[in-house]
Amino acid sequence: MLRFLVLVLCGVPGVRALDNGLAMTPTMGWLHWERFVCNLDCQEEPDSCISEQLFMQMADLMVSDGWKDSGYTYLCIDDCWMAPERDSKGRLQADPQRFPGGIRRLANYVHSKGLKLGIYADVGNKTCEGFPGSFGYYDIDAQTFADWEVDLLKFDGCFCDMEHLVYGYKYMSLALNRTGRSIVYSCEWPFYLWPYYKPNYTEIRQYCNHWRNFADISDSWQSVKSTLDWTSSNQDKIVDFAGPGGWNDPDMLVIGNFGLSWDQQVTQMALWAIMAAPLFMSNDLRHISPQAKALLQDKDVIAIKKDVLGKQGYRLRKEDNVEVWERPLSNLAWAVAMINVLEIGGPRSYSIPVASLGRGVACNPACLITQLLPVKRKVGVYQWTSSLKMRINPTGTVLLRIEETSYL
Ligand SMILES: *[C@@H]1O[C@H](CO)[C@@H](O)[C@H](O)[C@H]1NC(C)=O
Ligand SMILES: *[C@@H]1O[C@H](CO)[C@@H](O)[C@H](O)[C@H]1NC(C)=O
Ligand SMILES: *[C@@H]1O[C@H](CO)[C@@H](O)[C@H](O)[C@H]1NC(C)=O
C-alpha cells in the first residue's frame, strides 16, 4: 500500500495542462485522413472524396449506429478541405465544389446531431498537401474557426522552418483562447521537433490538449508495431506528461479497414487504451464489419481508456517475444496487456508471476482477473504467490482488468 501511494504521488504530472477545460479524458471521434486521405475527385468517386456529403453521412451514422453513445463525438476533417486560395479578406475558405454549404453550415448540421466538428490547418506556409497554411494568419484563422463554431483544431506542422514552429504552435493556442470559444487543440509539435532536439513536454502540455509524437499511422501491422515500439522506447520521456487536459497521441485507429488481421485490430484497441490515447477512428462507417464495430464500441475497453485516474500505461517487460504493458486505473485496479510479437507459428502460452504486475501491489494479497479482449471472460481469483498463464495469438493481445480483492 505504501509503495502504491509513493508511486501515485511521484507519478502525478506536476505540469499544468492547457486551461480550456477540454479533453479531461482522451478525445474520441472520427478523422477522415487514414481512410480517405486527400481524395479530391468527386466526379469519379463521389462516395469517397473529401466533401460535405462524406461528413454528413458519417454524422448520421455516428448517431444511428451507436458511435456517439459509445463516446465517439468529434467528427473531424483533416487536410484537403480548403479552396486553393484565401478569400479577399484573407480568410480560409472551404472548396466551393466539394463543400457548397461551407463549414459553418456543416457545423450546424453536425451540432444538430449532438456531435462536435473538428477541422485541420497548418502552422507553416502550406498544409502538407499544399493548401494555404496559417503562418501570418493565426489570429484570422482562429477567429474564422470560432465564427464557424468549430470544436477542435488539428494543427499540422508541414512547411514550417524550425525558427517558427514552437512560436507558431504557442501563438495559435493563445489565438484560439482569445476567440472565447472552447476548441480542443490537437498539435503535432513534438513530432516535427524530434529530428532536431528533444521537445519540451512541460511546455507542450501547457499549450495543447493532445500532441502527436510519431509518424502518421497507416493501415498495416508494421505501422501499428512501429508506433508501439516508438512509444515504449521513449516512455520515460513522455508517459508522465499525459493526464487530464493533455495526452500523447499515437494517431488514428485503423480498425475496420483492410490492413490489420483480427488479432492485430484487437492489439490496436487494447494498446490504445493502455496508452490513454485519443481515439480517432479512420474508417468507413458505411462499410464496417460487425466484429470491428463491436471491438471499437467495447464498453469495458473504453472504460479503461476513459479511466478517471488519467494515467498513461507503459511497457513493463519484453521477454521471449511477449510484451507486457500495464496501466494504473482508479480504485486500485490495473489494466494489463500481453502482446505476442512473434510473427511465426500459432498461439503461444506465456506465464508471469502476478506479483510482478501492477508494481507489485495489484494482487497483494489477492486479485480478481477478468479478460476483456479478445473476448470477455472471468479468469479467476489469484493469490500474490501465484502465476498467471495466458495463450496469445501471433500479433494478438490479451487485455486483462485486475482488481484487488480487498478493495472489491
Ligand atoms: C483562456 O485562458 C484562460 C486562462 O488560462 C482560461 O481561464 C479560459 O478558460 C480560457 N478560455 C478558453 C475559451 O479556452
Ligand atoms: C514562409 O515563407 C517565407 C518566404 O519564403 C519565409 O520567410 C518564412 O520563414 C516561411 N515561414 C515558415 C513558418 O516557414
Ligand atoms: C520547458 O518549458 C518550461 C515552461 O515554459 C520551462 O519552465 C522550462 O525551463 C523548459 N525546460 C527546458 C529544458 O527548456
Side-chain angles (χ1 to χ4, degrees), residues 336-353:
V336 170
M338 300 179 189
I339 321 172
N340 172 4
V341 294
L342 192 62
E343 297 177 27
I344 186 170
R348 291 166 63 231
S349 293
Y350 178 75
S351 293
I352 186 167

Side-chain angles (χ1 to χ4, degrees), residues 181-322:
R181 185 170 175 83
S182 293
I183 298 177
V184 173
Y185 186 39
S186 169
C187 298
E188 298 211 25
W189 170 352
F191 168 56
Y192 285 93
L193 284 190
W194 268 116
Y196 303 94
Y197 58 90
K198 178 173 173 270
N200 183 339
Y201 282 96
T202 303
E203 198 167 38
I204 292 169
R205 183 170 162 79
Q206 285 168 6
Y207 288 91
C208 302
N209 291 119
H210 16 96
W211 47 86
R212 287 272 310 283
N213 294 310
F214 188 64
D216 284 6
I217 202 155
S218 62
D219 190 10
S220 74
W221 172 242
Q222 172 55 38
S223 173
V224 169
K225 192 168 169 292
S226 60
T227 303
L228 292 174
D229 288 345
W230 188 90
T231 304
S232 54
S233 339
N234 291 280
Q235 57 188 10
D236 296 346
K237 305 185 190 87
I238 62 170
V239 163
D240 282 346
F241 292 96
W247 309 95
N248 288 296
D249 179 4
D251 208 9
M252 296 160 274
L253 292 172
V254 295
I255 295 165
N257 291 320
F258 307 95
L260 300 187
S261 72
W262 169 247
D263 287 290
Q264 293 160 359
Q265 296 179 63
V266 167
T267 295
Q268 196 187 24
M269 191 69 186
L271 271 294
W272 263 235
I274 294 279
M275 293 189 290
L279 296 187
F280 290 103
M281 306 178 279
S282 193
N283 49 21
D284 189 343
L285 301 178
R286 298 164 300 190
H287 307 284
I288 186 163
S289 73
Q291 204 184 21
K293 182 178 165 195
L295 177 61
L296 287 161
Q297 295 190 358
D298 190 306
K299 284 191 182 56
D300 299 309
V301 181
I302 290 173
I304 288 177
K305 193 203 76 90
K306 288 190 151 174
D307 186 83
V308 292
L309 190 58
K311 292 179 71 65
Q312 180 172 344
Y314 48 85
R315 195 173 80 185
L316 176 67
R317 61 163 77 174
K318 178 174 181 174
E319 60 170 16
D320 192 21
N321 286 300
V322 171

